[in-house]
Amino acid sequence: MMDIKSATFVSSFTDYRQCPDINIPEYAFVGRSNVGKSSLINMLLDRKNLAKTSQTPGKTQLINYFLINDTWHLVDLPGYGFAKVKKSIRKDFNRIIKDYAAYRKNLVCLFVLIDSRHKPQNNDILFMKWLGENQVPFVMVFTKIDKLSELALKKNIDFYQEQMLQHWEILPEMFFTSAEKKNGREKMLGYINQLNQL
Ligand code: GTP
Ligand code: MG
């Protein structure tokens, strides 16, 4: 288990080309607007409002960098595909995210967040397909599991996996989390810790 000894906000960027020019491992959180990226980051880091959260989708609009234990970066990305954000801005977000995922050399693993309450959404499926085609390493993180009964959660996950198996031969690693109840913290930090050793 990894202790979080320090977690500090570094800066925000609009483009992967501006991101810190320092060669340490980096993990980024991505997913639809409001899926719980910033909340999950705060939960993992055990910091109340380090990453800004909001009930209004579209809160995170930049690439936000956090330095952890002085040895690795955690990155909060803007949400993709939120319908109420102006179309031109939505397009910009998608560009920012895809450029970052495709070209950022330090990126070790992308955490794709999925709201565990919802059926597979087309833009999530398409985004992961795009990641596969572009050889971006990623895992799936189901969020807000506290909002479902155990049975409903299992049903949704089973259905999601079935759908994924139509595009994928092997499923990516999956984590099940609640920022509210702190589920999944040890597993995710352990996973990052393992990758940091490589
Ligand atoms: P954008 O930055 O707008 O893309 O959103 P985000 O993905 O960063 O989501 P954020 O963390 O701001 O959370 C959105 C809303 O979901 C907030 O009202 C959170 O309180 C709520 N939320 C996030 N995670 C959880 C969770 O695990 N359980 C519950 N019950 N609510 C959550
Ligand atoms: Mg956010």
Side-chain angles (χ1 to χ4, degrees), residues 32-39 41 51-54 56 58-62 64 76-79:
R32 287 149 59 82
S33 231
N34 215 39
V35 70
K37 296 175 293 295
S38 302
S39 303
I41 289 171
K52 301 285 172 280
T53 62
S54 165
T56 317
K59 175 74 181 170
T60 309
Q61 308 207 341
L62 296 163
N64 295 303
D76 191 8
L77 292 170

Side-chain angles (χ1 to χ4, degrees), residues 77-104:
L77 292 170
Y80 58 76
F82 185 66
K84 287 201 179 120
V85 173
K86 248 175 66 190
K87 204 169 176 190
S88 57
I89 296 178
R90 220 192 309 160
K91 255 179 137 175
D92 286 351
F93 283 8
N94 292 346
R95 185 79 272 139
I96 291 171
I97 293 162
K98 283 190 168 172
D99 281 351
Y100 169 86
Y103 302 124
R104 179 67 176 165

